[in-house]
């Protein structure tokens, strides 16, 4: 419970209507899109500007109350769960695009701006904001900055960190600082690079300056249809080796194809074992030669059919199906959990076979929809949370897949973050010395650990195996 | 001193004292120079140096050693060129893991066999080591399309000042596990750790290279061409602006007769054959619509030498003064014009190159005006850079000038954090003491 005096102070800063304290309303804020673990906030406050964020933080800091920033709550690793209790600072009402500068290809936005709004705001002038996570219709820029979000088109265009030039940050003691800026390459340590992807543990982003890019002149979007998963994964390697860099290279397996087809009726062949979405973009001149080459690679690797999106509408429908794939999974199972491991992309055939084996060993169905070109897997483990044994097997199967990723020189997370979910895997990927440096950095920014505690690194609260659903607080 | 070091590492790794001269930085010489052959030896040397509170300057091949303040203490030069192994090159993954002492020239040759490359174009690319380039986050014209090393380093290993080895990132192209230590060490000028190994994200070599040299009447016309190209569907790999003197220094010989010191915009239109051709046509139309002079497409051999001079611009032999500014792209031509005007009375002729789309500007002068004049030139340039949205870093000058100026410009609002990071990771200030921003 928050002391009444603190509630009064918060209400004075943001206005009484911008403070949520009713337990029934707070339930919504117990978790993000990773639902295996939950913890309720003491209150949620919605500041309107960075000055208010700073004052809220100053107040909580003075009282020694933990706090965490939250955008749309679409995160997939529990990054904005108030672990152990605390106040959530909701940034949704700071949602203005402050400036668009086409000549310098910059936008300045507040953290609550939804990812897709940026592209929508600049589309009429032929520009776009490149990072395009699947949740881009609802996820916010602040969350993207915290998680260093990716998306299908990162294969060619990079992730959030490659597009952020400067940030205004409220530090955990309430101080406001500017890092980076509107120009490129300020002298000094690259704090912008360090802040992006720090999962909201260094400071709260209250303003971001980002690059926009010219929309490519043209797109060619191919759908490769395969009889076996192996054929599809071999094609991925073939495409990467072909001397052509696609803008996106995505894979969906049969379970996903069927779920997506049932939900959106795009026209995916539900008997295929896998499909690849391969998108090329760039100048019209010469692109069809590249399309021809990609077709050849698909066919050489046993594609049953290669379709080319005939129109922009068809292309957009294809992408809509892909990006909503996670939503369609609800048709397959009452609950699911998504993994985010990364491996060298040439080892996909091996890895997909391993996932199949894990699925059989633990009796857990696993669907695959992922950024194949980057080697960024998203195995979706299907389970029913009412069955405790299934939950246990799901967690074990997840762990086995992540350990295999590490063994291949990869990572436990490509774009979803460690959050609370993958805390216990960090020591498998990093040595005590590596983690020591990270811990020292955290101590510099967040010395009392009031901002988003118990995330990323194992500590006494989180180093135990998650108990799974029904767990109301971290162990 | 050397005896106590010789018990810790292979004595052959300790260079003859006469070699110390080679490792002079801004006129200062170390007492000992070491060329360790293993990572373990790097650790031992650093631990030893830390215990003695020595100042250590990590050294690749010394191509960018003029950057920064002179070291406050300089006891030991740590040359890493023996750590030059390719650790792993899974070419089909388009990544490579190498030791930091490998030089860029060798790296590009290895990658070229698979039609891949690392898309940076720093000066002295043949000799510069990967570790040194990462420490300086060195880039070049292609940063407009490909970014800088910051965007390519996906894994890094460093030896910390206490001798411990730390790694960040991994060997895969996408990874958000833990804090992004790659970003922290890239561009830290060897003040936080000694880079010993890295994994890099690679690109495919373009099918063809094409460059078009566009002479313009004035800086204003250059800005109009740059703005039009950036607003068009053209996707140049680089877009450079050169003021009159800069154009004379870089430009193709066949231009010299009629150039008469006119400024120029140089567009790199590399890519697939058809795309390059389309871009050349489109650029011609843009120039025509602005009534600018027609561009000159550079023949292959000319193109190569122009590009070499372009990439080398920042680190020219025989220039007394070199400064780098980061400003907004839209301010580039005006900034350069004002920078020239500000020092013309002092008789300092300025050659300028800009990565026009990225806003990175290099100003250089062959003449060595009196110290006073240099100091006031840099001060006025820094003021102009601030007005154009950025900062000015003085890269090269007389040591006397450097001693009187803040080489990196004034600290910004995040300096307390910068200082805390240095304090935390190198508490005894062993690594490059006093060389970086705010004399960290």
């Amino acid at each position: 419970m928050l002391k009444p005096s603190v509630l009064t102070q918060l209400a004075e800063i943001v206005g009484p209507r911008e403070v949520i304290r009713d337990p029934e309303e707070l339930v919504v804020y117990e978790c993000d899109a990773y639902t295996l673990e939950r913890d309720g906030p003491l209150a949620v406050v919605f500041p309107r500007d960075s000055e208010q964020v700073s004052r809220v933080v100053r107040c909580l800091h003075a009282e020694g109350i933990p706090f965490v920033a939250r955008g749309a709550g679409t995160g997939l690793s529990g990054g904005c769960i108030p672990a152990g209790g605390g106040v959530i600072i909701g940034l949704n009402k700071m949602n203005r695009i402050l400036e668009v500068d086409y000549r310098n290809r910059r936008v300045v936005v507040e953290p609550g701006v939804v990812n897709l709004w940026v592209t929508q705001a600049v589309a009429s002038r032929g520009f776009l904001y490149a990072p395009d996570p699947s949740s881009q219709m609802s996820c916010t820029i602040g969350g993207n900055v915290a998680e260093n979000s990716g998306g299908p088109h990162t294969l060619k265009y990079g992730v959030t960190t490659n597009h952020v030039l400067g940030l205004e940050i409220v530090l955990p003691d309430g101080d406001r600082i500017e890092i980076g800026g509107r120009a490129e390459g300020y002298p000094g340590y690259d704090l912008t690079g360090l802040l992006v992807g720090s999962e909201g543990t260094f400071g709260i982003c209250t303003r971001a300056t980002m690059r926009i890019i010219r929309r490519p002149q043209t797109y060619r979007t191919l759908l490769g249809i395969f009889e076996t998963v192996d054929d599809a994964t071999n094609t991925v390697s073939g495409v990467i080796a072909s001397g052509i860099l696609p803008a996106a290279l995505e894979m969906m397996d049969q379970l996903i194809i069927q779920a997506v087809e049932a939900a959106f009726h795009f026209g995916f062949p539900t008997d295929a074992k896998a499909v690849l979405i391969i998108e090329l973009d760039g100048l019209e001149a010469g692109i069809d030669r590249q399309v021809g080459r990609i077709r050849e690679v698909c066919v050489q690797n046993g594609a049953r059919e290669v379709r080319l999106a005939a129109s922009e509408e068809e292309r957009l429908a294809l992408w809509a199906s892909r990006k909503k794939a996670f939503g369609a999974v609800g048709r397959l199972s009452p609950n699911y959990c998504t993994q985010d491991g990364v491996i060298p992309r040439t080892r996909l055939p091996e890895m997909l076979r391993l996932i199949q084996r894990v699925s059989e060993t633990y009796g857990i169905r696993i669907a695959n929809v992922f950024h194949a070109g980057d080697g960024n897997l998203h195995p979706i483990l299907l389970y029913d949370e009412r069955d405790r044994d299934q939950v246990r097997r799901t967690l074990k199967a997840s762990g086995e897949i992540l350990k295999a990723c590490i063994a291949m020189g990869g990572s436990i997370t490509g774009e979803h973050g460690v959050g609370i979910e993958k805390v216990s895997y960090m020591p498998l990927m990093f040595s005590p010395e590596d983690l020591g440096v990270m811990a020292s950095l955290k101590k510099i920014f967040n010395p009392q650990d009031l901002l988003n505690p118990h995330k990323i690194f194992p500590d006494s609260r989180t180093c135990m195996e998650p108990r799974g659903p029904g767990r109301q607080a971290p162990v | 001193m050397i005896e106590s070091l010789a018990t810790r590492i292979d004595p052959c790794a300790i260079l003859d004292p006469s070699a110390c001269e080679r490792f002079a930085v801004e006129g200062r010489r170390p007492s000992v120079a070491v060329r360790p052959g293993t990572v373990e030896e790097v650790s031992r040397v650093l631990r030893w140096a830390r215990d003695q509170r020595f100042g250590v300057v990590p050294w690749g091949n010394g191509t960018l050693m003029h950057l920064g303040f002179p070291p406050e203490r300089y006891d030991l030069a740590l040359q890493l060129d023996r750590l030059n192994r390719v650790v792993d090159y899974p070419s089909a993954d388009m990544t490579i893991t190498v030791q930091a002492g490998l030089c860029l020239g060798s790296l590009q040759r290895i990658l070229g066999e698979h039609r891949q490359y690392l898309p940076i174009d720093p000066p002295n690319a043949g000799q510069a080591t990967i570790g040194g380039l990462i420490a300086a986050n060195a880039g070049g014209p292609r940063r407009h399309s490909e970014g800088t090393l910051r965007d390519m380093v996906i894994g890094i290993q460093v030896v910390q000042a206490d001798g411990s080895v730390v790694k960040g990132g991994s060997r895969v192209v996408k990874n958000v596990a833990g804090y992004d230590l790659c970003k922290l060490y890239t561009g830290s000028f060897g003040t936080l750790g000694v880079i010993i190994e890295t994994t890099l994200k690679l690109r495919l070599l373009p099918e063809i290279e094409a460059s078009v040299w566009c002479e313009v009447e004035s800086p204003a016309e250059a800005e109009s061409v740059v703005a039009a190209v950036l607003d068009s569907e053209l996707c140049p790999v680089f877009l450079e602006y050169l003021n009159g003197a800069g154009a004379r220094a870089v430009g193709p010989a066949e231009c010299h007769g009629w150039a008469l010191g006119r400024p120029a915009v140089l567009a790199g239109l590399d890519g697939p054959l058809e795309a390059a051709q389309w871009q050349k046509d489109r650029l011609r139309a843009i120039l025509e619509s602005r009534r600018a002079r027609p561009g000159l497409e550079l023949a292959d051999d000319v193109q190569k030498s122009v590009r070499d001079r372009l990439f080398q611009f920042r680190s020219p032999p025989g220039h007394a003064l070199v400064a780098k500014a980061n400003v907004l792209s839209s301010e580039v031509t005006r900034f350069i014009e004002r920078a020239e005007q500000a020092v013309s009375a002092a008789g300092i002729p300025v050659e300028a190159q800009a990565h026009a789309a990225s806003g990175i500007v290099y100003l250089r002068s062959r003449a060595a005006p009196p110290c006073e004049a240099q100091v006031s030139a840099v001060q006025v340039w820094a003021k102009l850079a601030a007005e154009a949205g950025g900062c000015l870093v003085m890269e090269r000058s007389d040591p006397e000038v450097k001693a009187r100026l803040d080489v990196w410009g004034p600290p910004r609002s995040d300096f307390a954090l910068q200082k805390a990071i240095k304090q935390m990771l190198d508490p005894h200030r062993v690594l490059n003491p006093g060389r970086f921003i705010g004399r960290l």
Side-chain angles (χ1 to χ4, degrees):
Chain A
M1 279 285 283
L2 275 184
K3 284 192 292 187
S5 65
V6 175
L7 275 170
T8 310
Q9 281 184 63
L10 293 176
E12 269 167 20
I13 298 167
V14 297
R17 296 170 64 170
E18 306 297 352
V19 179
I20 298 181
R21 47 190 292 200
D22 176 357
E24 276 177 30
E25 284 184 70
L26 291 177
V27 172
V28 180
Y29 298 92
E30 283 182 350
C31 67
D32 55 17
Y34 168 69
T35 55
L36 265 169
E37 294 175 59
R38 294 162 196 264
D39 211 344
L42 300 168
V44 184
V45 297
F46 294 98
R48 289 263 166 203
D49 56 34
S50 60
E51 170 65 25
Q52 287 188 358
V53 175
S54 163
R55 287 170 64 202
V56 167
V57 167
R58 223 176 272 288
C59 161
L60 297 169
H61 180 258
E63 298 286 337
I65 298 164
F67 49 94
V68 50
R70 179 180 168 113
T74 56
L76 288 159
S77 57
C80 64
I81 295 178
V87 171
I88 286 181
I89 301 176
L91 297 165
N92 314 66
K93 302 215 167 154
M94 293 172 64
N95 58 5
R96 290 172 303 162
I97 295 176
L98 299 171
E99 200 186 322
V100 178
D101 175 355
Y102 291 107
R103 169 62 186 84
N104 290 303
R105 302 185 172 202
R106 306 276 190 270
V107 290
V108 183
V109 303
E110 290 185 324
V113 166
V114 169
N115 173 295
L116 190 60
W117 296 356
V118 181
T119 289
Q120 284 168 347
V122 299
S124 64
R125 282 281 303 265
F127 285 83
L128 59 80
Y129 174 63
D132 61 339
S134 293
S135 56
Q136 71 181 142
M137 286 163 77
S138 44
C139 68
T140 61
I141 294 298
N144 292 176
V145 166
E147 301 296 322
N148 191 14
S149 306
H153 290 83
T154 61
L155 177 57
K156 182 168 178 180
Y157 294 101
V159 290
T160 304
T161 193
N162 307 110
H163 298 270
V164 174
L165 289 152
L167 298 170
E168 180 191 70
I169 298 291
V170 171
L171 294 170
D173 60 3
D175 278 359
R176 267 188 292 175
I177 57 159
E178 295 273 347
I179 56 176
R182 288 183 58 194
E184 282 183 23
Y186 293 93
Y189 300 131
D190 183 2
L191 298 189
T192 311
L194 197 56
L195 257 293
V196 176
S198 59
E199 303 198 27
T201 62
F202 279 169
I204 298 176
C205 158
T206 48
R207 200 172 63 220
T209 304
M210 313 187 299
R211 287 179 219 279
I212 47 174
I213 60 169
R214 271 298 300 217
R215 186 186 144 91
Q217 190 182 49
T218 195
Y219 293 95
R220 294 289 186 276
T221 310
L222 296 147
L223 182 70
I225 299 165
F226 296 87
E227 303 281 4
T228 72
V229 170
D230 266 2
D231 289 348
T233 49
N234 285 326
T235 301
V236 172
S237 305
V239 169
I240 298 290
S242 71
I244 298 167
L245 178 65
L249 176 42
E250 301 281 303
M251 180 167 154
M252 301 197 278
D253 73 4
Q254 189 170 24
L255 263 176
I256 289 289
I257 297 168
Q258 288 171 350
V260 166
E261 189 53 28
F264 307 117
H265 316 290
F266 174 80
F268 290 111
T270 50
D271 62 330
K273 284 285 187 292
V275 296
L276 293 177
I277 302 174
I278 309 169
E279 183 158 281
L280 304 179
D281 70 9
L283 296 170
E284 190 72 49
I287 199 166
D288 287 321
R289 180 163 56 95
Q290 299 192 337
V291 168
R293 181 77 195 96
I294 298 285
R295 259 184 200 283
E296 266 171 42
V297 173
C298 291
V299 171
Q300 279 161 7
N301 285 288
R304 177 170 97 192
E305 190 188 340
V306 183
R307 295 185 197 162
L308 179 68
S311 63
E312 180 63 8
E313 289 70 43
E314 199 178 319
R315 169 180 174 259
L316 292 177
L318 183 56
W319 277 116
S321 307
R322 160 63 187 92
K323 290 193 174 178
K324 290 183 197 155
F326 284 104
V329 172
R331 295 173 169 264
L332 296 175
S333 167
N335 304 92
Y336 62 91
C337 118
T338 306
Q339 278 307 342
D340 182 37
V342 192
I343 54 162
R345 41 207 161 189
T346 46
R347 300 187 71 176
L348 280 173
E350 195 182 331
M351 189 67 195
L352 271 274
R353 287 195 287 268
L354 183 136
I355 291 174
Q356 179 59 31
R357 268 203 310 282
V358 168
S359 166
E360 284 158 13
T361 309
Y362 292 96
I364 295 292
R365 287 191 300 158
I366 303 179
N368 286 290
V369 46
F370 62 99
H371 311 307
D374 287 319
N376 187 183
L377 309 163
H378 288 330
I380 303 175
L381 293 83
L382 309 174
Y383 68 97
D384 181 344
E385 72 174 5
R386 290 163 300 189
D387 179 344
R388 310 278 307 177
D389 187 54
Q390 263 194 48
V391 171
R392 200 181 45 77
R393 283 183 278 129
T394 300
L395 290 168
K396 284 205 159 163
S398 275
E400 201 149 311
I401 293 168
L402 290 183
K403 283 174 196 161
C405 291
I406 297 170
M408 290 185 186
S411 171
I412 55 175
T413 174
E415 54 183 15
H416 298 170
V418 176
I420 201 151
E421 179 205 12
K422 291 182 273 285
V423 159
S424 54
Y425 298 105
M426 284 292 278
L428 300 181
M429 188 166 164
F430 294 107
S431 72
E433 286 78 18
D434 307 339
L435 293 173
V437 170
M438 294 186 198
S440 325
L441 291 170
K442 182 167 167 183
K443 201 164 270 172
I444 292 169
F445 286 88
N446 188 6
Q448 286 151 289
D449 204 12
L450 286 176
L451 175 59
N452 207 6
H454 313 304
K455 303 293 169 66
I456 308 179
F457 308 105
D459 63 20
S460 54
R461 282 186 87 94
T462 54
C463 64
M464 298 160 91
E465 285 277 291
R467 265 197 285 143
R471 170 181 176 180
Q472 294 302 306
V475 181
Chain B
M1 170 172 138
I2 291 178
E3 292 71 46
S4 80
L5 179 60
T7 60
R8 285 166 172 81
I9 60 170
D10 176 1
C12 299
I14 301 169
L15 299 185
D16 187 81
S18 66
C20 288
E21 185 63 31
R22 242 180 341 109
F23 297 95
V25 175
E26 306 279 328
R28 301 186 190 190
R29 279 157 200 80
S31 331
V32 57
V34 182
R35 273 181 86 204
T38 65
V39 173
E40 177 55 35
E41 282 189 337
V42 176
S43 288
R44 287 194 200 150
V45 171
L46 281 175
R47 219 170 293 134
W48 174 80
R50 194 258 330 245
D51 291 346
Q52 326 253 350
R53 303 292 184 264
F54 281 165
V56 175
V57 174
W59 193 287
N61 266 328
T63 62
L64 291 170
M65 276 299 160
H66 56 281
L67 300 182
F69 292 109
E72 208 171 89
R73 289 171 284 121
Y74 188 10
D75 305 287
L76 186 142
L78 184 61
Q79 188 173 27
L80 296 147
D81 63 338
R82 283 175 70 200
L83 298 177
N84 61 356
R85 221 160 32 86
V86 174
V87 178
D88 188 21
Y89 180 23
S91 62
D93 283 318
M94 292 183 64
T95 62
I96 191 166
T97 303
V98 299
Q99 288 188 308
L102 184 70
C103 63
L104 183 61
S106 308
L107 177 71
Q108 302 287 35
R109 270 192 297 281
I110 294 163
L111 300 176
E113 288 173 22
H114 297 268
R115 293 209 48 80
Q116 298 176 356
Y117 78 128
L118 186 70
I120 56 169
D121 20 50
N124 304 308
Q127 303 87 53
T129 63
I130 296 300
L133 292 168
I134 293 174
N137 190 21
R142 247 177 293 232
R143 69 180 288 152
H144 165 56
S145 54
E146 302 287 359
T148 61
L149 271 167
R150 168 194 199 275
D151 304 292
M152 301 159 206
V153 173
I154 54 176
I156 202 160
Q157 248 185 60
V158 306
V159 181
Q160 303 202 90
D162 65 2
S164 61
V165 178
V166 159
K167 78 161 193 304
S170 67
R171 289 190 183 180
V172 289
V173 294
K174 218 166 150 193
N175 172 25
V176 295
Y179 300 137
D180 192 348
L181 299 184
C182 300
K183 300 285 184 295
L184 182 64
Y185 292 113
T186 303
S188 65
F189 285 89
T191 59
L192 299 179
V194 176
I195 300 167
I196 47 165
E197 190 180 301
T198 181
T199 303
L200 301 158
K201 194 167 143 175
L202 305 172
R203 287 291 197 192
L204 297 160
L205 278 170
E207 224 170 83
I208 63 157
E209 293 191 340
S211 312
V212 179
W213 180 270
C214 316
E215 266 196 352
V216 289
E217 288 300 326
S218 64
E221 188 178 81
E223 162 57 18
S224 124
V225 169
V226 167
V229 168
L230 290 177
D231 200 41
S232 75
E233 287 167 322
L234 286 174
C235 28
V237 290
F238 60 75
L239 193 59
E240 297 285 296
Y241 168 68
L242 296 145
N243 75 345
R248 257 200 307 271
V250 170
E254 58 264 58
C255 280
H256 283 178
W258 43 281
L260 304 171
R262 282 199 199 94
V265 173
L266 179 60
L269 304 175
D270 307 1
L273 190 66
E274 305 92 324
Q277 189 54 51
W278 182 88
Q279 293 208 74
K280 284 183 264 181
D281 295 343
R282 185 78 189 84
L283 178 59
R284 187 176 312 121
I286 287 174
L287 294 170
E288 267 170 25
S289 72
R290 293 195 144 52
R291 297 176 204 289
R293 287 157 187 276
L296 175 73
E297 192 194 332
L298 304 182
D300 272 351
D301 52 330
V302 178
Q303 165 170 256
K304 190 177 174 319
S305 61
V306 168
R307 285 191 180 201
D308 284 348
R309 288 193 292 274
L310 194 68
F311 301 159
Q312 196 61 35
F313 192 95
R314 172 191 190 181
S315 201
H319 277 65
L321 196 61
V322 181
K324 171 188 182 178
N326 67 320
V327 300
L328 288 171
S329 166
S330 58
E331 301 299 314
V332 161
T333 55
R334 207 153 50 106
F335 167 73
I336 292 173
E337 203 176 8
R338 295 175 76 193
E340 288 174 87
Q341 284 161 1
V343 299
S344 67
I348 306 178
V350 178
E351 297 169 345
Q353 171 199 28
H355 312 325
S358 316
I360 305 295
V361 178
Y362 291 100
L363 303 170
R364 65 182 202 186
S365 171
R366 219 177 278 272
C371 177
E372 272 320 307
Q374 288 188 44
V375 169
S376 59
V378 172
Q379 280 167 341
V380 86
W381 288 347
K383 193 169 144 282
L384 294 172
E387 286 169 18
C391 299
L392 187 97
V393 174
M394 189 164 55
E395 296 204 336
R396 179 181 288 180
S397 73
D398 291 346
E400 202 188 327
V401 177
K402 271 199 180 179
R404 291 179 48 188
L405 282 168
D406 197 339
V407 169
W408 300 97
R412 307 173 72 230
S413 79
D414 61 3
F415 185 66
L417 288 169
Q418 307 248 355
K419 207 168 148 184
I421 290 172
K422 171 71 176 174
Q423 169 68 27
M424 185 72 90
L425 295 181
D426 182 17
H428 302 293
R429 299 179 71 239
V430 171
L431 297 168
N432 266 334
R435 296 207 70 199
F436 199 28
I437 192 163
R439 297 185 190 271
L440 282 173

